Each structure stands twice: as structure tokens, then as C-alpha cells.
Amino acid sequence: MSTEKRLARYALTSKGTILFALIMLSIAVSAELTGPFIAKTIIDRHISGIEQPWYESETNEHSVQFDGNAYTREAYLPEHAWRGDEVQILQIGTGFYFTREPLPTEGERTFENGVLSIQQEDVTYTSAADTLTAQEVLSFYEPEIGFIVRWLLLYLSLVTIAACFHYGKNFYLQKAAHKIVQRMRVDVFNHLSKVPVRYFDHQPAGKIVARITNDTEAVRELYMTVLATFFSSFVYIIGIYFALFLLDVRLAVMTLAVLPLLFIWFKLYRKFAARLNRTIRAKNADINASLNENVQGMSMIQAFNQEEQQMNSFDQLNNEHYRAQANLLNVNSLTGHNLTFVLKNIVFVALIWWISGGTAGLVTLGVLYAFVDYVNRLFEPVNQVMNQLANLEQARAAGSRVFELLDEDGADVDDTSTPRPTGEVVFHTVSFSYVEGEPVLQNISFQAKPGETIALVGHTGSGKSSIMNLLFRFYDPTNGRITIDGVNTKNYSPQALRAHMGIVLQEPHLFSGTIASNIAYGKPDASKQEIEEAIRLVGGSHLFKNGLDEIVTEKGSTLSSGQRQLISFARALLANPAILVLDEATSSVDTETERIIQTGLQTLKQNRTTFMIAHRLSTIQDASHIIVLDKGIILEQGTHNDLLRKNGHYAHLYKLQQGQVS
């Protein structure tokens, strides 16, 4: 499904709000577009209308007293009212002239020595005329003032209505946009929990964050600004063309030539801008990833004096982003005001030629004013559309990146639960590869009985962590199978399996909150007494002077490594897992804290199957079973004493750590 269709599907989730906003927009646009028609009516009927026929009449509310007689415009005389002689008022420049012998209104007008002349090609029409004073002119306009005021009040009311509906449109479109993007961000975040761990192995955190924040924000602009602009412009253009055709069909047809030019320009813009916008979004994600990496590693950067090197690296990314932005700016400049300005002037030149050549026929001043007004208004929405093309393409590029993340294969979170297993774990000739053709585990077989402690030993890259990844079902074996209580782990949902498993890492991950909330992370409904008991059992009660409500910042940076590790132990204990994994859990703490932790470990390992990954062999001497790994295969396995008697690889490592060999 295309990006446009998927964005439309998200829009349909708030279709009621959007539809209501667009209806309000249509009403507002319709109200605004009455302006030129009202102006045309005022000009032709009430301002230029003074040159329409007047008749001597009986005195009435629309009559004017002049030279001892009452005169009324034909438009205001009832059908069967008495009419006397027809008279006429004509304007030349700023002067107005009264004649009792009506003349044609078309032609060149002159007034000299009391005679008014109208020149039409080879024919001249003349009549005696009186020059009207300013007061007399005002008296002839007096019947029109009430009508003009009413039209202006109507226009003011329509403008007020349009403003109210524009406010409503903005409010509801923004509300819909926020709701859509909120739903999109929730969908993306929820999908992240379904995506296999392998995805995060190859994606920097900064890039993922950029998709959830920056890219969805660009999509929000689509629904809030671009959609409103395109729809309002569409309504404006349709309304304006409707009005133009009402005014003069031939002049309206002439302006239709603008539309195919705009369509061609639109297609050309999208061809060039789409590629540039995708590049910009990608570079922006790279910048986010670089910032995330630098902020997290700032202490290491400063420790090794790498500030300048990191600055150069960031500067290169920033320059690449700038160049892409500059290229897009060039494209946008060509499609913005310059294009619409040129097209508008072409239309005006054609209009002047059309009217001056007489091709358009008789055009009243009101029609001409309204037509020019509508043509000016026609290019306002066109210009707005052109200015929003950049945002449209940015939203499309951002949307495609969001949907790429949503299209990553994932498994739905399964809420089904399984009974707590006894903890018997068996690996049956398990092989595994992260990359096809590059095995990291080969024919691994061992058994862990309930309550036993299994230690995994080996150099970096020997496969210890890979075994744990398979046990937690972050990955599944390439060959062989893993069973828990005799059931293949593939028959469990990952969530049901992990509900009975716990892990303590070498560098425990703490979340922003309190010490108590971090301990209760695996059991959110735990009581305060349960949390306090958990930290007491692992021996950490006295290490937190401010109590369990102490605030924990991101990653627990204000706590010592020993405190963080004790919180991690208490968290695992409170969750009460049947299977526990300890990944170098004591390697980063001092001797005194390790002694406390070792005491806590005895409590933690009771009544559960425990897997320990260790480099310091002194910490695993009490293990029920030790498995020695090398390059993904099992070299040796047995108890500590058994392996020492074999005098093999394990015995060599142990003696080396004890300083018994050089």
C-alpha cells in the first residue's frame, strides 16, 4: 500500500472531526467569496447606477427633488406607477451633468458650452445639459446610501461569520491532527515492543527516536496545515471559477489555461523534491543518532581528548544535511511566489488585451472590478498550494519512514499465561547463526535441572550471551531445539515464557522514576512491604539513605554501580522467576559491595534454575554445572572440581586467574 493511502487511512480514524472542520472551512470560503459580488452590485447598481434612466415621478422614498420636480430611478419605480419624461445623469471625469434628452452611455464623452456630446465612431450625439453641483450630486446618490450601507453590513456579517468558521476549522483540524499523530506514535511505540531484538542490533537508538518524534511531527503538519491548505485552496479555486463563469463565460474560459500549467509544474516539483526530502529525513536521523551517541559517551570522548574528531564527524553530517536543504530550497524557490507572480501577470495581460480589443464585448465597471478581484484571489490559493508542496513532500518522506518501521516483522504481544515451570532446561544439539553461514553456536547440548546453577565460561565471542538470547527467545535456534519442562520453547509465546524468567546484567538498566518503581518494574502491582522485603533480602536496605522513594534519573546515573546492581537483584527477586540469568552480575562492583551481593545471590538463587555468565571463575565454584565454551562449541562441562581434575582448558584458566601459571 502506498504512503499516501496509508496516511489517508490514518486520517480516516478522525474522519468525523476532519469532515466537520472541512464543512466549516467550506462555509467560511463561501462567505469570503461573496465579497467581489457584493462589490460588483454596489458599483453597478448603486454607484454606476446613477447613469441609469431617471423619470419624473410622484414624490416617494426613492425620489430626488431637482429643479422643482421629483425624479426617481427606473429601478425603484413600481411597475404601474406614473412616469413622466425620461432624464439622464452622465459623468465625465469628476463632473456630473443632467440632461433631459437621454443619450447613449457608450462612446467618448465631452461637455462644452452647455452641450453634452457622445462620440461613437462616425456618429455624434448631442444634448443640452446642466452641470450638477456637489450637493446636487449627493442628493441623487442619497437614495443609494441606505442600500450601500446594508450591503456593507451584509459583507461585514459574512466576514465575521467566515472568521468564526475559520477559527472552528483551525481548532478541529489541529485537534484531529494531534489525535492522529498521537495514535500513530502509540502504534509505532507498540510495534517496537513486537519487533525482534535483532532489529535493534542494527539500528542506532537516535534513528528510531527520530522516526517516532521528528518524522511523526512532520506528518502532523500534513494533517494540520497541508490538508487544510490544499482543501481550502481547492474550495477557493472551485468557488472562484464558479463566480467567474457567472460574471463572464468567455473571460472565465481564458483563465482555465492556468490549470494545466500548474499541474505540469506540480508533477515536475514532486519528481525532484521527493528524492531530496527523503535524503533530508535520512540525514536528520543520522544527526539524531550521532547526537545520541555523543551525549551518552561524552565522558569517554573527553577522557580520550576526542572532542575535535567528534566535532569534525558531526560537522560532516551537518554539512551533508545543509547541502540537501539548499538543493531543496532552490527547487522551492522556483515553485513559490515567482511562478504564481508570472502566471498572474500573464492572465492580466490577456485580460487587458481581451477587453481593450473589444473581444470581450460590453463589460461593466462592476464586472471588471469583480473579475480582477477574483483573479487576484485565484492566485492566492495557488500560491499557498505551491508554498505547501515542500511540506507535503516532507510529510510523505517522513510518513514513508514511519511506515517502514511499522512494516518491520513483529509478533503480537500474547497475553496468555502459562503455569510457573519447575525450571528444567534442556538444549538439544542447538546451532545458531546471526548471519547466515557464520555460526556462533554449534551442536550445543546440556541439561539444567530444577534448582541447579549452571555457569557458562569462555572468552569473549565464545557464545555465552547467544545461549541466553536463545533461552529468552530473543532469537530462535537455526537447528536443534530448546525445551523447558519438556516443552519446546517455540510452543510458548515469548511473553508467556519471559513472565517466568529474570535477568541481572553486568550493567543494569534503570528507568527514570524512583528506586521503588525500578524494583517493582517486573511486578507493578507489588506492595510497598514486598518491595522493602526484596531489597532487604539482597542486603541493600542500608545503602539507600533517602529511602526507596529516592528519585532515579536516566540510567540511574546518580547511583553507584553497586546500588544499581542491588536494585537489579531486588527487581529479579520480586518478580520471582523460575529461571534466572546472571550476566557478569558482580564484575563491575567493589569488593565490599560484591560481598553484600554474593550474600544476596544465595537468597536470589533459592528454588529456581540459575544461569551464570562469568569471567571471574572464583564466583562460580559453587555452581552445579560449569560449561566451558570456545568459538560456539562446548569444550568441557562438569563441576568445578571435576574440571580441575581434568586439567583441561578450564583448569588452565582457573590457574591463570589464581596466579599459579605465568
Side-chain angles (χ1 to χ4, degrees):
M1 186 182 296
S2 66
T3 300
E4 290 85 350
K5 289 182 179 179
R6 297 181 72 168
L7 289 171
R9 286 181 64 182
Y10 265 99
L12 290 176
T13 60
S14 295
K15 58 181 178 296
T17 306
I18 292 177
L19 182 61
F20 184 63
L22 296 183
I23 290 173
M24 296 184 80
L25 174 61
S26 300
I27 295 172
V29 169
S30 301
E32 287 181 357
L33 290 180
T34 59
F37 262 106
I38 290 175
K40 168 189 173 298
T41 302
I42 292 174
I43 292 171
D44 286 346
R45 186 181 299 178
H46 303 295
I47 297 178
S48 299
I50 197 175
E51 293 192 351
Q52 294 177 2
W54 292 75
Y55 290 91
E56 186 180 350
S57 66
E58 297 175 347
T59 302
N60 58 65
E61 61 177 329
H62 299 299
S63 64
V64 176
Q65 295 294 326
F66 178 74
D67 199 19
N69 296 314
Y71 295 97
T72 305
R73 269 183 55 191
E74 183 180 30
Y76 300 140
L77 278 173
E79 186 177 350
H80 301 293
W82 175 79
R83 304 184 183 193
D85 294 335
E86 180 182 350
V87 297
Q88 190 177 38
I89 298 173
L90 293 178
Q91 180 182 4
I92 302 177
T94 58
F96 289 83
Y97 304 93
F98 181 91
T99 175
R100 290 176 173 81
E101 298 177 22
L103 299 173
T105 56
E106 296 300 314
E108 184 180 352
R109 303 175 183 182
T110 57
F111 179 79
E112 189 175 356
N113 299 324
V115 176
L116 182 65
S117 303
I118 305 293
Q119 179 72 40
Q120 287 186 349
E121 297 181 352
D122 297 331
V123 181
T124 301
Y125 300 91
T126 61
S127 174
D130 298 324
T131 303
L132 298 176
T133 65
Q135 187 61 41
E136 289 170 337
V137 172
L138 287 176
S139 68
F140 276 103
Y141 271 115
E142 190 172 352
E144 313 300 328
I145 293 175
F147 292 104
I148 292 174
V149 169
R150 282 195 284 273
W151 280 115
L152 291 177
L153 289 175
L154 173 62
Y155 180 65
L156 180 61
S157 300
L158 290 172
V159 169
T160 303
I161 291 171
C164 293
F165 277 94
H166 271 302
Y167 170 81
K169 175 265 296 183
N170 289 332
F171 176 82
Y172 284 105
L173 268 184
Q174 290 185 32
K175 180 180 178 181
H178 290 312
K179 194 69 178 176
I180 291 168
V181 172
Q182 178 193 36
R183 188 175 292 111
M184 182 178 287
R185 283 176 176 166
V186 169
D187 288 347
V188 173
F189 190 83
N190 284 342
H191 189 70
L192 283 177
S193 64
K194 304 174 186 178
V195 173
V197 173
R198 69 177 69 91
Y199 175 77
F200 301 97
D201 292 340
H202 306 289
Q203 289 290 336
K207 286 190 176 184
I208 297 174
V209 170
R211 294 192 182 191
I212 300 176
T213 55
N214 297 0
D215 289 338
T216 54
E217 188 66 16
V219 172
R220 185 180 68 85
E221 284 298 311
L222 169 69
Y223 295 115
M224 191 171 71
T225 305
V226 179
L227 174 66
T229 300
F230 274 65
F231 187 84
S232 62
S233 298
F234 177 76
V235 174
Y236 264 110
I237 291 171
I238 294 298
I240 288 170
Y241 270 110
F242 180 75
L244 289 176
F245 274 97
L246 288 178
L247 289 171
D248 191 292
V249 174
R250 290 167 299 174
L251 292 176
V253 169
M254 180 188 69
T255 61
L256 285 175
V258 173
L259 296 182
L261 294 175
L262 293 176
F263 179 76
I264 293 170
W265 202 271
F266 178 76
K267 297 295 287 185
L268 288 173
Y269 174 84
R270 288 192 62 182
K271 178 180 178 181
F272 292 102
R275 175 179 54 82
L276 290 172
N277 273 292
R278 283 194 296 270
T279 302
I280 289 170
R281 303 310 299 185
K283 295 301 178 185
N284 187 62
D286 290 339
I287 288 174
N288 273 278
S290 177
L291 284 171
N292 182 70
E293 185 179 60
N294 278 271
V295 169
Q296 292 192 18
M298 188 55 68
S299 59
M300 195 62 62
I301 293 171
Q302 294 181 3
F304 283 90
N305 295 322
Q306 292 300 303
E307 293 91 341
E308 185 175 351
Q309 181 180 345
Q310 293 301 116
M311 183 62 216
N312 291 336
S313 177
F314 182 81
D315 191 49
Q316 182 179 351
L317 282 176
N318 212 20
N319 284 333
E320 290 173 358
H321 182 266
Y322 168 78
R323 285 194 294 271
Q325 286 276 28
N327 291 333
L328 182 61
L329 181 62
N330 290 332
V331 175
N332 290 338
S333 298
L334 291 173
T335 57
H337 176 75
N338 292 335
L339 170 65
T340 53
F341 180 78
V342 170
L343 289 178
K344 182 168 69 174
N345 281 283
I346 290 174
V347 171
F348 279 137
V349 168
L351 177 63
I352 293 170
W353 169 80
W354 189 280
I355 293 174
S356 62
T359 314
L362 178 62
V363 177
T364 67
L365 181 60
V367 169
L368 182 60
Y369 172 85
F371 201 90
V372 171
D373 194 342
Y374 277 126
V375 170
N376 270 318
R377 290 174 182 245
L378 173 65
F379 283 94
E380 287 179 15
V382 169
N383 196 41
Q384 289 174 359
V385 168
M386 290 299 172
N387 290 336
Q388 287 298 327
L389 287 179
N391 289 335
L392 173 64
E393 289 305 318
Q394 287 179 15
R396 288 181 67 250
S400 66
R401 287 169 51 78
V402 172
F403 294 135
E404 281 176 10
L405 179 52
L406 286 172
D407 288 338
E408 286 294 328
D409 292 334
D412 290 333
V413 176
D414 192 339
D415 293 332
T416 59
S417 59
T418 59
R420 189 177 191 273
T422 62
E424 182 186 25
V425 178
V426 181
F427 274 59
H428 302 269
T429 59
V430 170
S431 297
F432 173 66
S433 301
Y434 291 104
V435 179
E436 188 175 355
E438 300 178 15
V440 294
L441 295 176
Q442 301 180 60
N443 299 319
I444 301 296
S445 296
F446 64 85
Q447 180 182 13
K449 295 179 181 179
E452 287 188 340
T453 297
I454 307 299
L456 301 176
V457 178
H459 59 75
T460 301
S462 61
K464 303 184 299 297
S465 296
S466 296
I467 290 176
M468 295 302 99
N469 285 337
L470 295 177
L471 184 61
F472 272 85
R473 279 208 71 191
F474 293 141
Y475 300 88
D476 284 323
T478 308
N479 293 300
R481 60 193 178 93
I482 303 169
T483 62
I484 296 178
D485 289 0
V487 180
N488 194 324
T489 54
K490 290 184 179 180
N491 295 335
Y492 293 100
S493 73
Q495 291 75 33
L497 180 67
R498 295 166 194 160
H500 302 294
M501 302 177 75
I503 188 168
V504 179
L505 300 171
Q506 179 180 359
E507 287 294 332
H509 190 94
L510 300 187
F511 297 90
S512 299
T514 64
I515 292 174
S517 67
N518 273 278
I519 294 174
Y521 188 76
K523 190 180 178 182
D525 58 347
S527 66
K528 184 176 181 180
Q529 291 74 18
E530 289 177 309
I531 296 171
E532 290 173 345
E533 180 66 9
I535 196 68
R536 185 188 68 79
L537 287 173
V538 298
S541 300
H542 66 287
L543 293 180
F544 302 101
K545 303 245 169 132
N546 297 323
L548 299 183
D549 291 328
E550 181 180 339
I551 299 299
V552 176
T553 58
E554 185 181 4
K555 294 185 178 179
S557 57
T558 57
L559 301 174
S560 69
S561 58
Q563 287 175 317
R564 292 197 298 271
Q565 199 62 281
L566 284 170
I567 291 173
S568 186
F569 277 119
R571 178 165 60 194
L573 180 62
L574 185 62
N576 191 29
I579 299 170
L580 176 66
V581 174
L582 304 173
D583 188 354
E584 290 288 342
T586 63
S587 63
S588 61
V589 297
D590 58 81
T591 305
E592 183 179 351
T593 305
E594 182 181 5
R595 180 181 56 79
I596 297 172
I597 289 176
Q598 287 295 348
T599 302
L601 270 176
Q602 301 309 314
T603 303
L604 194 59
K605 292 192 292 184
Q606 288 177 9
N607 302 318
R608 53 182 54 90
T609 303
T610 304
F611 289 86
M612 297 180 66
I613 298 176
H615 285 110
R616 283 160 45 181
L617 304 185
S618 59
T619 63
I620 60 168
Q621 293 181 28
D622 296 332
S624 308
H625 199 71
I626 299 172
I627 299 173
V628 183
L629 296 163
D630 182 58
K631 296 180 182 177
I633 62 174
I634 296 177
L635 292 181
E636 305 172 305
Q637 54 183 316
T639 65
H640 173 72
N641 292 328
D642 290 340
L643 293 174
L644 287 180
R645 282 194 293 269
K646 288 182 181 179
N647 200 28
H649 189 75
Y650 177 84
H652 177 72
L653 287 176
Y654 182 76
K655 292 174 183 178
L656 193 63
Q657 290 187 9
Q658 295 298 314
Q660 298 176 13
V661 294
S662 59

